[in-house]
Amino acid sequence: MDANGGGPPTPDGPARAGTEPDGGGPTPLARLRSALAPAWAAGPPRGPSRPEFWRSPLRGPWLTAVFGIVLLFGITILFVTGLLSYAAYEPDLATVNDQTPDKGWLGFYLFSWPTSPYWLYRVTQGVHVTLGLVLVPVLLAKLWSVIPKLFAWPPVRSAAQAAERLSLLLLVGGAGFEFVTGILNVQLHYIFPGSFYTLHFYGAWVFIGAFAVHVVFRLKRAVRALRNGPRHQPAPDSEEAAGLVAPSPAAATISRRGALGMVGLGSLALFAVTAGQSVGDWFRRTALLAPHGREPGSGPNGFQINKTAASVGIRPSDTGPAWRLTVRGAGRQVDLTYDRLLDLPQNEALLPIACVEGWSTTDQRWAGVRLTDLAALVGLGTHTPQVLVESVQRGGSFSSVVLSEGQVRDARSLLAVRVNGAVLSLDHGYPARVIVPGAPGVHNTKWVTRLTFGEPS
Protein backbone atom coordinates (compact mmCIF):
# COMPACT_ATOMS: atom_id res chain seq x y z
CA MET A 1 0.00 0.00 0.00
CA ASP A 2 1.40 3.45 -0.85
CA ALA A 3 1.90 6.28 1.57
CA ASN A 4 -1.39 7.90 0.69
CA GLY A 5 -3.15 4.68 1.59
CA GLY A 6 -1.83 4.84 5.15
CA GLY A 7 0.47 1.81 4.98
CA PRO A 8 4.20 1.75 5.56
CA PRO A 9 6.34 3.47 2.94
CA THR A 10 8.23 1.44 0.42
CA PRO A 11 12.03 1.25 0.75
CA ASP A 12 12.34 3.87 -1.93
CA GLY A 13 9.69 6.18 -0.37
CA PRO A 14 10.13 9.05 2.10
CA ALA A 15 11.64 8.40 5.52
CA ARG A 16 9.27 8.01 8.45
CA ALA A 17 8.64 11.16 10.50
CA GLY A 18 11.12 11.44 13.34
CA THR A 19 13.80 9.36 11.65
CA GLU A 20 17.14 10.25 10.17
CA PRO A 21 16.98 11.14 6.45
CA ASP A 22 18.93 8.00 5.57
CA GLY A 23 16.55 5.77 7.53
CA GLY A 24 19.08 5.25 10.29
CA GLY A 25 16.57 5.45 13.12
CA PRO A 26 14.90 8.16 15.19
CA THR A 27 16.43 11.62 15.33
CA PRO A 28 17.88 12.88 18.64
CA LEU A 29 14.82 15.12 19.09
CA ALA A 30 12.48 12.19 18.50
CA ARG A 31 14.42 10.03 20.96
CA LEU A 32 14.23 12.82 23.55
CA ARG A 33 10.48 13.13 23.06
CA SER A 34 10.07 9.39 23.37
CA ALA A 35 12.11 9.28 26.57
CA LEU A 36 10.20 12.17 28.15
CA ALA A 37 6.75 11.07 27.00
CA PRO A 38 5.96 9.08 30.15
CA ALA A 39 6.88 12.05 32.33
CA TRP A 40 4.73 14.39 30.25
CA ALA A 41 1.82 11.96 30.39
CA ALA A 42 2.11 11.66 34.17
CA GLY A 43 1.59 15.39 34.53
CA PRO A 44 3.59 17.91 36.56
CA PRO A 45 5.48 16.70 39.63
CA ARG A 46 4.39 17.71 43.09
CA GLY A 47 5.33 21.26 44.04
CA PRO A 48 5.42 24.58 42.20
CA SER A 49 4.94 23.00 38.76
CA ARG A 50 1.30 22.23 39.67
CA PRO A 51 -1.11 25.15 39.16
CA GLU A 52 -2.90 24.46 42.46
CA PHE A 53 0.37 25.07 44.32
CA TRP A 54 -0.08 28.80 43.75
CA ARG A 55 -3.08 30.06 45.73
CA SER A 56 -2.75 33.84 45.95
CA PRO A 57 -5.99 35.50 44.82
CA LEU A 58 -4.09 38.66 43.90
CA ARG A 59 -2.13 37.31 40.96
CA GLY A 60 -3.61 38.05 37.60
CA PRO A 61 -3.09 39.97 34.36
CA TRP A 62 -4.14 43.34 35.81
CA LEU A 63 -1.70 43.38 38.73
CA THR A 64 1.15 42.13 36.56
CA ALA A 65 0.32 44.77 33.94
CA VAL A 66 0.43 47.61 36.48
CA PHE A 67 3.87 46.58 37.70
CA GLY A 68 5.00 46.07 34.12
CA ILE A 69 3.91 49.54 32.98
CA VAL A 70 5.68 51.18 35.93
CA LEU A 71 8.85 49.27 35.07
CA LEU A 72 8.46 50.14 31.38
CA PHE A 73 8.75 53.86 32.11
CA GLY A 74 11.18 53.51 35.02
CA ILE A 75 13.65 51.22 33.28
CA THR A 76 13.57 53.38 30.16
CA ILE A 77 14.63 56.38 32.27
CA LEU A 78 17.28 54.27 33.98
CA PHE A 79 18.72 53.17 30.65
CA VAL A 80 18.81 56.68 29.19
CA THR A 81 20.41 58.22 32.29
CA GLY A 82 22.88 55.33 32.33
CA LEU A 83 23.87 56.07 28.74
CA LEU A 84 24.34 59.73 29.68
CA SER A 85 26.53 58.75 32.61
CA TYR A 86 28.73 56.73 30.29
CA ALA A 87 28.94 59.61 27.82
CA ALA A 88 30.03 61.96 30.62
CA TYR A 89 33.25 59.98 30.97
CA GLU A 90 34.20 61.02 27.41
CA PRO A 91 35.33 57.47 26.48
CA ASP A 92 35.99 58.38 22.84
CA LEU A 93 38.32 61.21 23.87
CA ALA A 94 41.21 59.09 25.15
CA THR A 95 42.06 55.57 26.20
CA VAL A 96 42.51 56.61 29.84
CA ASN A 97 38.87 57.72 29.89
CA ASP A 98 37.52 54.52 28.31
CA GLN A 99 36.50 51.73 30.70
CA THR A 100 35.08 49.59 27.86
CA PRO A 101 37.59 49.71 24.98
CA ASP A 102 35.89 46.84 23.12
CA LYS A 103 32.45 48.42 23.04
CA GLY A 104 32.39 48.73 19.24
CA TRP A 105 29.10 50.00 17.86
CA LEU A 106 27.58 50.15 21.37
CA GLY A 107 29.15 53.59 21.65
CA PHE A 108 27.32 54.89 18.58
CA TYR A 109 25.55 57.65 20.52
CA LEU A 110 28.55 59.15 22.35
CA PHE A 111 28.99 62.91 22.25
CA SER A 112 31.19 65.55 23.84
CA TRP A 113 29.87 66.13 27.34
CA PRO A 114 28.91 69.79 27.93
CA THR A 115 29.95 71.99 30.84
CA SER A 116 26.60 73.78 30.94
CA PRO A 117 24.37 73.44 32.76
CA TYR A 118 27.02 72.76 35.38
CA TRP A 119 24.60 70.62 37.41
CA LEU A 120 23.76 68.27 34.52
CA TYR A 121 25.68 65.21 35.73
CA ARG A 122 24.55 65.81 39.28
CA VAL A 123 20.91 65.59 38.19
CA THR A 124 21.14 62.76 35.65
CA GLN A 125 23.21 60.49 37.89
CA GLY A 126 21.16 61.36 40.96
CA VAL A 127 18.02 60.36 39.09
CA HIS A 128 19.68 57.18 37.81
CA VAL A 129 20.72 55.92 41.24
CA THR A 130 17.70 57.10 43.21
CA LEU A 131 15.20 55.75 40.69
CA GLY A 132 17.07 52.44 40.52
CA LEU A 133 16.66 51.97 44.27
CA VAL A 134 13.05 53.15 44.25
CA LEU A 135 12.17 50.56 41.59
CA VAL A 136 13.48 47.61 43.63
CA PRO A 137 10.12 46.90 45.35
CA VAL A 138 8.32 47.19 42.00
CA LEU A 139 10.75 44.76 40.36
CA LEU A 140 10.40 42.24 43.19
CA ALA A 141 6.61 42.55 43.08
CA LYS A 142 6.59 42.02 39.32
CA LEU A 143 8.71 38.87 39.69
CA TRP A 144 6.38 37.63 42.43
CA SER A 145 3.34 38.20 40.24
CA VAL A 146 4.69 36.03 37.40
CA ILE A 147 6.62 33.39 39.33
CA PRO A 148 4.13 30.58 38.52
CA LYS A 149 5.13 30.92 34.87
CA LEU A 150 8.74 30.09 35.74
CA PHE A 151 7.59 26.63 36.84
CA ALA A 152 5.20 25.99 33.95
CA TRP A 153 4.88 22.31 32.94
CA PRO A 154 6.18 20.95 30.70
CA PRO A 155 9.25 23.22 30.80
CA VAL A 156 9.61 23.14 27.02
CA ARG A 157 6.70 22.47 24.67
CA SER A 158 8.13 23.77 21.42
CA ALA A 159 11.11 25.52 19.90
CA ALA A 160 9.25 28.86 20.01
CA GLN A 161 8.38 28.40 23.67
CA ALA A 162 11.98 27.44 24.43
CA ALA A 163 13.19 30.66 22.77
CA GLU A 164 10.67 32.65 24.81
CA ARG A 165 11.86 31.09 28.07
CA LEU A 166 15.45 31.83 27.12
CA SER A 167 14.58 35.49 26.56
CA LEU A 168 12.88 35.56 29.97
CA LEU A 169 16.02 34.11 31.51
CA LEU A 170 18.05 36.96 30.01
CA LEU A 171 15.41 39.44 31.15
CA VAL A 172 15.18 38.27 34.75
CA GLY A 173 18.90 37.52 35.04
CA GLY A 174 19.84 40.83 33.43
CA ALA A 175 17.54 42.78 35.74
CA GLY A 176 18.97 41.06 38.80
CA PHE A 177 22.54 41.60 37.63
CA GLU A 178 22.08 45.30 36.88
CA PHE A 179 20.22 46.11 40.08
CA VAL A 180 22.58 44.12 42.31
CA THR A 181 25.79 45.53 40.80
CA GLY A 182 24.35 49.04 40.88
CA ILE A 183 23.39 48.78 44.55
CA LEU A 184 26.80 47.34 45.47
CA ASN A 185 28.47 50.23 43.65
CA VAL A 186 26.37 52.77 45.54
CA GLN A 187 27.60 51.14 48.76
CA LEU A 188 31.22 51.25 47.55
CA HIS A 189 31.31 47.47 47.98
CA TYR A 190 33.42 46.31 45.06
CA ILE A 191 33.29 42.52 45.03
CA PHE A 192 32.98 42.26 41.25
CA PRO A 193 35.22 39.90 39.23
CA GLY A 194 36.31 42.89 37.18
CA SER A 195 35.56 46.56 36.64
CA PHE A 196 32.11 47.74 37.70
CA TYR A 197 31.95 50.05 34.70
CA THR A 198 32.62 47.25 32.21
CA LEU A 199 30.25 44.75 33.82
CA HIS A 200 27.44 47.25 34.30
CA PHE A 201 27.79 48.64 30.77
CA TYR A 202 27.63 45.32 28.92
CA GLY A 203 25.05 43.94 31.33
CA ALA A 204 22.81 46.92 30.59
CA TRP A 205 22.85 46.23 26.86
CA VAL A 206 22.02 42.53 27.34
CA PHE A 207 19.21 43.42 29.72
CA ILE A 208 17.72 46.19 27.59
CA GLY A 209 17.72 43.91 24.53
CA ALA A 210 15.72 41.25 26.37
CA PHE A 211 13.52 43.96 27.88
CA ALA A 212 12.70 45.42 24.46
CA VAL A 213 11.75 41.99 23.09
CA HIS A 214 9.55 41.37 26.11
CA VAL A 215 7.80 44.72 25.70
CA VAL A 216 7.11 44.07 22.01
CA PHE A 217 5.39 40.77 22.75
CA ARG A 218 3.62 41.72 26.00
CA LEU A 219 2.66 45.39 25.78
CA LYS A 220 -0.60 44.82 23.90
CA ARG A 221 -1.73 42.22 26.45
CA ALA A 222 -0.76 44.52 29.34
CA VAL A 223 -2.75 47.44 27.93
CA ARG A 224 -5.79 45.19 27.49
CA ALA A 225 -5.49 43.98 31.10
CA LEU A 226 -5.30 47.56 32.37
CA ARG A 227 -8.43 48.48 30.46
CA ASN A 228 -10.31 45.54 31.97
CA GLY A 229 -9.55 46.86 35.45
CA PRO A 230 -8.73 45.18 38.78
CA ARG A 231 -12.19 43.63 39.21
CA HIS A 232 -11.93 41.56 36.06
CA GLN A 233 -10.27 38.21 36.79
CA PRO A 234 -10.32 35.82 33.81
CA ALA A 235 -10.90 32.10 34.16
CA PRO A 236 -7.72 30.26 35.27
CA ASP A 237 -7.57 28.06 32.18
CA SER A 238 -8.27 30.85 29.69
CA GLU A 239 -5.71 32.31 27.32
CA GLU A 240 -6.33 35.73 28.85
CA ALA A 241 -5.22 34.46 32.28
CA ALA A 242 -1.78 33.73 30.81
CA GLY A 243 -1.07 31.17 33.53
CA LEU A 244 -1.21 33.82 36.27
CA VAL A 245 -4.62 33.12 37.85
CA ALA A 246 -4.76 30.53 40.64
CA PRO A 247 -7.29 27.72 39.89
CA SER A 248 -8.12 27.34 43.61
CA PRO A 249 -7.27 30.66 45.25
CA ALA A 250 -7.15 31.15 49.01
CA ALA A 251 -9.30 33.75 50.74
CA ALA A 252 -8.10 37.29 50.09
CA THR A 253 -6.61 39.23 53.01
CA ILE A 254 -5.85 42.35 51.00
CA SER A 255 -7.12 43.86 47.77
CA ARG A 256 -5.03 44.26 44.65
CA ARG A 257 -5.06 48.01 45.13
CA GLY A 258 -3.91 47.46 48.71
CA ALA A 259 -1.01 45.38 47.42
CA LEU A 260 -0.10 48.19 45.04
CA GLY A 261 -0.21 50.60 47.96
CA MET A 262 2.20 48.44 49.97
CA VAL A 263 4.66 48.31 47.07
CA GLY A 264 4.30 52.06 46.61
CA LEU A 265 5.03 52.69 50.30
CA GLY A 266 8.14 50.53 50.03
CA SER A 267 9.35 52.60 47.08
CA LEU A 268 8.54 55.83 48.92
CA ALA A 269 10.52 54.66 51.96
CA LEU A 270 13.54 53.90 49.78
CA PHE A 271 13.23 57.33 48.20
CA ALA A 272 13.18 58.96 51.64
CA VAL A 273 16.39 57.23 52.76
CA THR A 274 18.22 57.65 49.44
CA ALA A 275 17.42 60.95 47.73
CA GLY A 276 19.24 63.04 50.33
CA GLN A 277 22.63 61.90 49.05
CA SER A 278 21.89 63.54 45.70
CA VAL A 279 20.56 66.74 47.27
CA GLY A 280 23.52 67.07 49.64
CA ASP A 281 24.06 69.46 52.54
CA TRP A 282 21.77 68.78 55.55
CA PHE A 283 19.60 66.36 53.55
CA ARG A 284 22.49 63.92 53.33
CA ARG A 285 21.76 62.96 56.92
CA THR A 286 18.51 61.39 55.74
CA ALA A 287 20.32 59.19 53.20
CA LEU A 288 20.57 56.17 55.46
CA LEU A 289 21.46 53.88 52.56
CA ALA A 290 24.36 56.07 51.41
CA PRO A 291 27.90 55.26 52.57
CA HIS A 292 28.74 57.42 55.60
CA GLY A 293 32.13 55.98 56.49
CA ARG A 294 34.21 58.68 54.83
CA GLU A 295 32.68 61.90 56.08
CA PRO A 296 35.57 64.39 56.53
CA GLY A 297 33.98 66.29 59.39
CA SER A 298 32.86 69.90 59.56
CA GLY A 299 34.38 73.15 58.37
CA PRO A 300 35.24 74.43 54.88
CA ASN A 301 36.47 70.97 53.80
CA GLY A 302 33.57 69.17 55.47
CA PHE A 303 31.86 67.61 52.47
CA GLN A 304 31.70 64.10 51.12
CA ILE A 305 34.63 62.26 49.55
CA ASN A 306 35.14 58.74 48.23
CA LYS A 307 38.88 58.49 47.74
CA THR A 308 41.15 59.35 50.66
CA ALA A 309 44.84 60.10 50.34
CA ALA A 310 45.74 57.00 52.34
CA SER A 311 43.59 54.73 50.14
CA VAL A 312 45.59 55.61 47.00
CA GLY A 313 49.05 55.61 48.52
CA ILE A 314 49.74 59.34 48.87
CA ARG A 315 52.93 59.83 50.91
CA PRO A 316 53.99 63.00 52.76
CA SER A 317 56.80 63.55 50.28
CA ASP A 318 54.30 63.58 47.39
CA THR A 319 52.59 66.71 48.64
CA GLY A 320 55.36 68.33 50.71
CA PRO A 321 57.81 71.14 49.80
CA ALA A 322 59.28 69.04 46.97
CA TRP A 323 55.93 68.93 45.13
CA ARG A 324 56.01 70.48 41.67
CA LEU A 325 53.34 71.09 39.04
CA THR A 326 54.65 70.36 35.56
CA VAL A 327 52.84 72.08 32.67
CA ARG A 328 53.65 70.82 29.18
CA GLY A 329 52.49 71.68 25.68
CA ALA A 330 53.62 72.98 22.28
CA GLY A 331 57.10 71.62 22.93
CA ARG A 332 57.53 73.68 26.09
CA GLN A 333 57.56 72.83 29.79
CA VAL A 334 57.12 74.93 32.93
CA ASP A 335 57.62 73.63 36.49
CA LEU A 336 55.78 75.47 39.26
CA THR A 337 56.29 75.30 43.00
CA TYR A 338 53.28 75.63 45.25
CA ASP A 339 54.13 79.24 46.10
CA ARG A 340 54.54 80.14 42.43
CA LEU A 341 51.18 78.55 41.67
CA LEU A 342 49.62 80.77 44.34
CA ASP A 343 51.21 83.85 42.71
CA LEU A 344 49.30 83.24 39.47
CA PRO A 345 45.92 85.01 38.99
CA GLN A 346 43.34 83.32 41.23
CA ASN A 347 39.71 82.86 40.21
CA GLU A 348 36.61 81.42 41.87
CA ALA A 349 33.83 79.09 40.76
CA LEU A 350 30.74 77.76 42.55
CA LEU A 351 30.52 74.09 41.57
CA PRO A 352 29.37 70.81 43.15
CA ILE A 353 31.05 67.42 43.21
CA ALA A 354 28.85 64.64 41.78
CA CYS A 355 29.85 60.97 41.65
CA VAL A 356 28.70 57.86 39.83
CA GLU A 357 27.39 56.41 43.11
CA GLY A 358 24.64 59.03 42.98
CA TRP A 359 25.82 61.28 45.78
CA SER A 360 26.65 64.93 45.27
CA THR A 361 27.48 68.00 47.26
CA THR A 362 25.90 71.39 47.16
CA ASP A 363 27.84 74.12 45.34
CA GLN A 364 31.28 74.66 46.92
CA ARG A 365 33.30 77.86 46.44
CA TRP A 366 36.51 76.80 44.72
CA ALA A 367 39.49 79.09 44.15
CA GLY A 368 42.51 78.50 41.95
CA VAL A 369 44.09 79.06 38.55
CA ARG A 370 42.10 78.70 35.36
CA LEU A 371 43.23 75.86 33.12
CA THR A 372 43.42 78.32 30.23
CA ASP A 373 45.87 80.47 32.21
CA LEU A 374 48.06 77.43 32.84
CA ALA A 375 47.95 76.58 29.14
CA ALA A 376 49.05 80.14 28.38
CA LEU A 377 52.27 79.49 30.31
CA VAL A 378 53.36 77.20 27.45
CA GLY A 379 51.97 79.42 24.70
CA LEU A 380 48.54 77.80 24.29
CA GLY A 381 46.25 80.38 25.82
CA THR A 382 44.31 81.45 22.71
CA HIS A 383 42.81 78.17 21.51
CA THR A 384 43.43 75.83 24.41
CA PRO A 385 43.48 72.15 23.38
CA GLN A 386 42.52 69.13 25.46
CA VAL A 387 44.67 68.29 28.46
CA LEU A 388 45.96 65.13 30.09
CA VAL A 389 45.74 65.51 33.88
CA GLU A 390 47.95 63.24 35.99
CA SER A 391 47.94 62.63 39.72
CA VAL A 392 50.62 61.42 42.12
CA GLN A 393 48.29 58.72 43.43
CA ARG A 394 49.72 55.18 43.26
CA GLY A 395 46.64 53.03 43.68
CA GLY A 396 43.02 52.98 42.66
CA SER A 397 41.47 53.97 39.36
CA PHE A 398 41.35 57.29 37.51
CA SER A 399 44.83 58.46 38.44
CA SER A 400 44.81 60.32 35.12
CA VAL A 401 42.14 61.70 32.83
CA VAL A 402 41.84 63.67 29.60
CA LEU A 403 39.59 66.73 29.57
CA SER A 404 38.12 67.96 26.29
CA GLU A 405 38.74 71.34 24.68
CA GLY A 406 35.32 72.55 25.77
CA GLN A 407 35.99 71.56 29.37
CA VAL A 408 39.41 73.21 29.44
CA ARG A 409 38.19 76.45 27.87
CA ASP A 410 35.32 76.94 30.30
CA ALA A 411 36.22 79.87 32.57
CA ARG A 412 35.00 77.89 35.59
CA SER A 413 37.48 75.05 35.02
CA LEU A 414 40.19 75.50 37.63
CA LEU A 415 43.22 73.90 39.14
CA ALA A 416 41.89 74.60 42.61
CA VAL A 417 44.04 75.23 45.67
CA ARG A 418 41.34 76.44 48.07
CA VAL A 419 37.72 75.60 48.82
CA ASN A 420 35.21 77.67 50.80
CA GLY A 421 37.99 80.07 51.80
CA ALA A 422 40.34 77.42 53.20
CA VAL A 423 43.33 75.52 51.86
CA LEU A 424 42.38 72.15 50.44
CA SER A 425 42.61 69.30 52.91
CA LEU A 426 44.82 66.37 51.95
CA ASP A 427 41.81 64.14 51.28
CA HIS A 428 40.30 66.81 49.04
CA GLY A 429 43.43 66.92 46.89
CA TYR A 430 46.03 69.21 48.49
CA PRO A 431 48.10 70.81 47.09
CA ALA A 432 46.00 71.13 43.91
CA ARG A 433 43.06 69.45 42.22
CA VAL A 434 41.04 69.95 39.09
CA ILE A 435 37.43 71.14 39.26
CA VAL A 436 35.37 71.16 36.04
CA PRO A 437 31.68 72.09 35.66
CA GLY A 438 29.42 69.14 34.85
CA ALA A 439 32.16 66.50 35.00
CA PRO A 440 31.86 63.24 37.00
CA GLY A 441 33.64 63.41 40.32
CA VAL A 442 36.44 61.06 39.28
CA HIS A 443 37.37 63.47 36.48
CA ASN A 444 38.00 66.21 39.03
CA THR A 445 41.45 64.75 39.61
CA LYS A 446 43.10 65.25 43.02
CA TRP A 447 46.81 65.60 43.93
CA VAL A 448 47.63 66.86 40.43
CA THR A 449 51.28 66.84 39.44
CA ARG A 450 51.28 67.18 35.65
CA LEU A 451 49.18 68.88 32.96
CA THR A 452 49.96 68.03 29.35
CA PHE A 453 48.12 70.18 26.80
CA GLY A 454 47.44 69.08 23.26
CA GLU A 455 49.69 66.05 23.02
CA PRO A 456 48.40 62.51 22.38
CA SER A 457 47.47 60.77 25.62
Side-chain angles (χ1 to χ4, degrees):
M1 190 179 286
D2 63 20
N4 290 332
T10 62
D12 297 329
R16 295 190 307 274
T19 63
E20 300 287 358
D22 60 359
T27 64
L29 181 59
R31 288 196 296 270
L32 179 62
R33 287 175 176 171
S34 177
L36 296 178
W40 289 173
R46 292 183 179 275
S49 293
R50 295 195 175 189
E52 57 270 20
F53 178 87
W54 306 100
R55 302 196 62 203
S56 173
L58 301 182
R59 288 192 182 94
W62 182 83
L63 190 64
T64 297
V66 172
F67 293 138
I69 292 298
V70 172
L71 289 174
L72 172 61
F73 288 99
I75 287 175
T76 299
I77 295 173
L78 282 182
F79 185 65
V80 171
T81 52
L83 293 181
L84 292 176
S85 178
Y86 182 66
Y89 282 76
E90 302 269 12
D92 276 348
L93 188 60
T95 55
V96 296
N97 292 19
D98 194 357
Q99 300 295 305
T100 55
D102 299 321
K103 62 185 177 297
W105 61 267
L106 294 179
F108 69 93
Y109 73 96
L110 294 175
F111 58 95
S112 183
W113 190 251
T115 56
S116 292
Y118 72 91
W119 41 258
L120 180 61
Y121 187 76
R122 182 184 182 191
V123 171
T124 58
Q125 194 61 15
V127 168
H128 181 76
V129 172
T130 303
L131 180 59
L133 290 170
V134 165
L135 286 179
V136 168
V138 184
L139 177 65
L140 294 177
K142 175 66 159 58
L143 294 177
W144 171 86
S145 73
V146 299
I147 196 170
K149 295 178 69 66
L150 299 180
F151 297 92
W153 188 265
V156 178
R157 294 187 295 271
S158 64
Q161 193 248 2
E164 180 186 15
R165 290 182 74 84
L166 177 61
S167 70
L168 288 177
L169 177 64
L170 293 175
L171 178 67
V172 175
F177 180 83
E178 287 300 287
F179 276 81
V180 169
T181 54
I183 291 171
L184 288 174
N185 180 63
V186 169
Q187 294 301 315
L188 307 177
H189 195 39
Y190 299 110
I191 58 174
F192 317 112
S195 168
F196 161 76
Y197 301 92
T198 304
L199 295 172
H200 206 64
F201 176 79
Y202 288 121
W205 280 106
V206 171
F207 168 60
I208 204 65
F211 183 72
V213 171
H214 185 71
V215 169
V216 168
F217 285 101
R218 298 298 183 188
L219 182 59
K220 187 174 181 180
R221 176 179 290 181
V223 172
R224 184 167 61 248
L226 289 175
R227 288 175 177 171
N228 289 335
R231 297 182 180 275
H232 175 73
Q233 189 78 321
D237 56 352
S238 66
E239 181 182 355
E240 185 183 357
L244 301 175
V245 180
S248 54
T253 57
I254 189 175
S255 68
R256 294 185 183 88
R257 285 176 175 162
L260 286 178
M262 289 184 61
V263 174
L265 284 175
S267 292
L268 184 61
L270 285 175
F271 177 82
V273 297
T274 302
Q277 72 164 351
S278 299
V279 178
D281 203 16
W282 179 90
F283 294 97
R284 183 170 171 77
R285 301 176 189 175
T286 66
L288 302 180
L289 295 185
H292 285 263
R294 296 179 178 177
E295 294 286 356
S298 58
N301 281 273
F303 52 94
Q304 173 70 6
I305 56 173
N306 272 1
K307 187 162 53 179
T308 64
S311 70
V312 293
I314 302 297
R315 300 177 302 195
S317 58
D318 296 326
T319 58
W323 174 86
R324 295 293 183 272
L325 173 69
T326 299
V327 183
R328 294 175 177 172
R332 297 172 61 183
Q333 175 175 315
V334 175
D335 294 314
L336 302 175
T337 63
Y338 184 69
D339 289 338
R340 190 176 172 193
L341 180 64
L342 295 181
D343 287 338
L344 294 175
Q346 303 289 303
N347 295 272
E348 291 188 347
L350 280 171
L351 297 172
I353 296 287
C355 278
V356 69
E357 296 88 5
W359 66 262
S360 59
T361 71
T362 53
D363 292 352
Q364 310 295 319
R365 186 177 296 278
W366 304 91
V369 183
R370 286 175 176 161
L371 295 183
T372 51
D373 290 342
L374 291 168
L377 296 178
V378 290
L380 294 171
T382 305
H383 300 290
T384 313
Q386 66 186 41
V387 62
L388 170 64
V389 184
E390 298 176 83
S391 171
V392 298
Q393 74 175 65
R394 290 176 177 79
S397 56
F398 298 101
S399 61
S400 60
V401 70
V402 172
L403 301 176
S404 68
E405 295 177 359
Q407 291 174 315
V408 174
R409 295 175 185 178
D410 193 296
R412 297 165 293 180
S413 295
L414 305 176
L415 184 68
V417 293
R418 300 176 68 84
V419 63
N420 298 321
V423 174
L424 291 173
S425 67
L426 185 60
D427 284 340
H428 274 302
Y430 176 86
R433 68 171 296 164
V434 163
I435 184 73
V436 175
V442 291
H443 280 196
N444 293 308
T445 308
K446 298 191 282 189
W447 312 291
V448 175
T449 188
R450 185 179 293 112
L451 299 172
T452 304
F453 290 91
E455 298 179 13
S457 57

